[in-house]
Amino acid sequence: MRIRLHRLAALIASPTCLLFSAYCQQKAVPADKSEHSGIVFQEVSPKTSSITWIHDNAQSDQRYYPESIGPGCAFLDYDNDGWMDIFIVNSGPSDFFTPQKPLRNALYHNNHDGTFTDVAEQAGIGDTKSFGMGVAVGDYDGDGWPDIYITAYGRNTLYHNNGNGTFTDVTEKSGTGLSGWFMSAVWFDYDNDGKLDLFAVNHVTYDKSIGCGSSQTGRRYYCMPRVYKPAQSHLLHNNGDGTFTDVSRESGIASVLGKSFGVVATDIDNDGRMDLFVSNDTVPDFLFHNLGNGKFKEIGLEAGVAYSDTGKARSGMGVDSADFDGDGWQDLFVANIDVELFSLYHNEHNLTFIDTPGEIAKDTRNLSGWGLKFFDYDDDGDPDLILSNGYPDDMTGLVSPLTTYREPLLMYENRGGVLHNVSRESGPVFEKKFLARGLAVGDFDNDGYLDVLVCSNGEAPVLLHNEGVHKNHWVGVQLVATASNPDSIGAILTWSAGGAKKRRLKTGGGSFLSAHDPREILGMGNATRMDSIEVRWPSGKIDRVENPPVDTYIRIVEGKGMAPPAGHP
């Protein structure tokens, strides 16, 4: 009943939207500028950043479906110098594409001055061995250095970080070389044994001989996933010796086949076990509830997240999870293709969710969403939301006058648990349109305000610098586990400042094909002193730091408390 009343109220408030969705999107009333946080994102030019890499999507007249999907990207500190570097995935050789010249992934080393240097070749991670899609970053062997897993149409690849600026391909040795068409992946510890396991979503069983087109125009276009057979995603258990075992069947993951795109690891029932929310295209979305003892149960239907409120399966792409209203329970978000509306699922505290998208539904009616992320863009302690969009087929203008191939970014500010569209006040870049796919957030200049990297299909990436008024204060935290999993996925951070108490779960994955800055920035608003930070580790241990330094990064070591950040000035 709640969802029906919510939707009814929205339609009564704006009945014109029923007939003229394009009008509603153009005329959406922006947030009052007097309430806006003053955060503006400035597009960093390639001349300034030295990021000159361009994605090759291999677009052909045959319109092979994988051409339309990548790339993914990541913020990571591969050399542990305290500064976020950038990794971006390129396409590569496949059964439908032979590059005229070798294609390269990009690994941009952060030079600490706002510029980057591509070191992928000397790092040994530049070669594209398959038609690359996404990236997941995690320290799978617990040696303190982040490793890189690349998903692909073809075969996935695991690169071990050697700790000296180079990587080694350990795919064969580790048993992680999944073959098929894999999209997003996430490192997380599903059995709480202190080691990072790996979950990778499989999209469809792709058959290049199946094509789609118009008999009227004689032109081909990219097929919808419904013409292909579904596929099985995979859960790989970390054996602790550098190898992994596929436990998809015994865990219950293999019990359902999907056409999966995105994944986020989160804890939907506060039981200390990480669950998985998976978006699917043209089939129901999945919610894998972690039952313990290595078992998962898919509960998407009973939880209310499998279908739209009209009972239809949608085309889900990007996903994320956060407690957007501060009630202590993790909510879910999924972006869909145009007309289907994006969903913000409120957690009802009983393994069920209600779709409460608010103004996001109206704003995204004619958009197709991919990379997205809940993040505290203004350091007030509440999760805001950025959405990147782009239609998957350049033929869309021939079919629908209400959609465009290139689409705008959207920025939503969290005000008391309600997300308001502040795109018009967030910088000129929000007036542009993109072919966005992957999106990652990270503080590349260590100023305490999270920046954004948007990666577009067949084009150059866009680096957005967060240039807020910096009126709010913050504490950046690097979590260093000793008994819990090395990335501290599942840790709960609680902090108090200025009479306000905030709480955040460290989730895994989220967005689309991408990975984010592993540090947590704890926003304080206009408070000048943080009273305390408490970390409840996945192991059950609790560390508490009193009166930490403000407007800087610190480390909190499991069982030991605060320490200076490694490699940080």
Side-chain angles (χ1 to χ4, degrees), residues 56-70:
D56 189 332
N57 65 352
Q59 188 177 74
S60 66
D61 292 338
Q62 296 300 310
R63 293 299 194 271
Y64 295 112
Y65 180 26
E67 299 170 359
S68 66
I69 302 302

Side-chain angles (χ1 to χ4, degrees), residues 10 28 36 42 100 105 138 163 198 203 233 246 283 293 299 415 449 501 510 519 531 551:
H36 185 243
Q42 181 66 42
Q100 294 183 353
N105 302 315
L198 180 64
H203 186 43
S233 295
D246 193 329
V283 298
N293 299 317
I299 62 168
R415 299 178 190 159
Y449 276 70
K501 188 174 183 179
R519 303 171 297 182
D531 301 316
D551 296 335

Side-chain angles (χ1 to χ4, degrees), residues 524-535:
M524 302 165 51
N526 57 15
T528 58
R529 177 180 180 274
M530 182 171 284
D531 301 316
S532 65
I533 302 173
E534 180 182 284
V535 180

Side-chain angles (χ1 to χ4, degrees), residues 215-420:
S215 58
Q216 295 178 337
T217 65
R219 302 176 70 176
R220 294 176 69 98
Y221 53 79
Y222 293 116
C223 294
M224 289 286 287
R226 65 171 52 96
V227 306
Y228 303 109
K229 295 179 180 179
Q232 175 198 312
S233 295
H234 288 259
L235 177 64
L236 304 182
H237 177 261
N238 190 330
N239 299 323
D241 59 0
T243 68
F244 292 77
T245 299
D246 193 329
V247 294
S248 306
R249 185 172 300 278
E250 49 266 51
S251 67
I253 293 296
S255 64
V256 288
L257 300 180
K259 300 182 180 182
S260 304
F261 264 135
V263 60
V264 61
T266 186
D267 183 359
I268 60 170
D269 55 352
N270 290 334
D271 66 354
R273 296 189 291 262
M274 298 302 283
D275 312 295
L276 296 167
F277 180 47
V278 178
S279 61
N280 283 306
D281 198 330
T282 69
V283 298
D285 292 334
F286 297 150
L287 182 56
F288 289 105
H289 181 221
N290 192 333
L291 304 177
N293 299 317
K295 304 293 185 180
F296 287 83
K297 180 182 179 182
E298 202 288 295
I299 62 168
L301 178 60
E302 49 264 52
V305 301
Y307 298 91
S308 71
D309 61 330
T310 60
K312 295 182 178 180
R314 295 186 280 190
S315 297
M317 283 90 87
V319 298
D320 202 18
S321 176
D323 177 12
F324 78 90
D325 60 348
D327 67 352
W329 295 77
Q330 290 295 111
D331 309 298
L332 305 173
F333 190 93
V334 59
N336 299 300
I337 205 166
D338 68 298
V339 179
E340 296 180 345
L341 308 183
F342 296 8
S343 288
L344 175 59
Y345 290 112
H346 181 263
N347 192 325
E348 296 296 292
H349 313 173
N350 59 2
L351 292 180
T352 67
F353 294 78
I354 291 180
D355 192 1
T356 58
E359 62 185 84
I360 296 176
K362 167 175 57 64
D363 297 340
T364 60
R365 184 172 184 83
N366 296 317
L367 300 180
S368 300
W370 302 88
L372 56 92
K373 189 63 181 166
F374 281 109
F375 71 119
D376 184 6
Y377 88 130
D378 53 0
D379 284 352
D380 66 353
D382 298 320
D384 309 294
L385 177 65
I386 189 168
L387 307 174
S388 69
N389 310 289
Y391 200 78
D393 195 331
D394 59 344
M395 300 295 180
T396 182
L398 302 176
V399 179
S400 172
L402 297 180
T403 60
T404 59
Y405 187 34
R406 297 176 181 275
E407 297 179 346
L409 308 174
L410 293 175
M411 186 70 228
Y412 290 85
E413 184 175 308
N414 190 331
R415 299 178 190 159
V418 179
L419 297 171
H420 292 275

Side-chain angles (χ1 to χ4, degrees), residues 24-32 359 362-363 421 424-425:
C24 291
Q25 184 175 338
Q26 295 168 3
K27 298 298 182 180
V29 178
D32 185 347
E359 62 185 84
K362 167 175 57 64
D363 297 340
N421 189 342
R424 296 185 184 180
E425 299 87 51

